Amino acid sequence: MNHINTASSCRCGHHKIAPVLVILFGLLFLLEYFGTITASFTAMAWPILVIILGLVKLKSGSCKCYAQASS
């Protein structure tokens, strides 16, 4: 399946979800390191972030910023 980018930059909102969740994932462990949050909260929260990322990826389907190449 070949795809051609039809936009100069992607404007689909679902492309921003994964980087935001990665930042939150890192922030979660950083806050635990500094003692702001407890290890038990981190142990409960990180799987939730991974589940949210998976659900977003499943729901997103095909991207609006890419069109299938006509071959």
Side-chain angles (χ1 to χ4, degrees), residues 7-40:
S8 59
S9 65
C10 180
R11 292 201 163 96
C12 294
H14 67 268
H15 288 291
K16 294 177 179 114
I17 298 292
V20 168
L21 287 176
V22 169
I23 291 168
L24 289 175
F25 189 74
L27 186 61
L28 181 70
F29 284 103
L30 186 64
L31 289 174
E32 180 189 341
Y33 176 78
F34 286 125
T36 307
I37 58 176
T38 63
S40 62

Side-chain angles (χ1 to χ4, degrees), residues 16-66:
K16 294 177 179 114
I17 298 292
V20 168
L21 287 176
V22 169
I23 291 168
L24 289 175
F25 189 74
L27 186 61
L28 181 70
F29 284 103
L30 186 64
L31 289 174
E32 180 189 341
Y33 176 78
F34 286 125
T36 307
I37 58 176
T38 63
S40 62
F41 179 80
T42 302
M44 183 232 8
W46 79 262
I48 293 171
L49 291 175
V50 172
I51 290 169
I52 291 170
L53 177 62
L55 290 173
V56 167
K57 288 291 188 181
L58 280 174
K59 188 176 188 268
S60 67
S62 62
C63 182
K64 295 174 187 171
C65 65
Y66 285 89

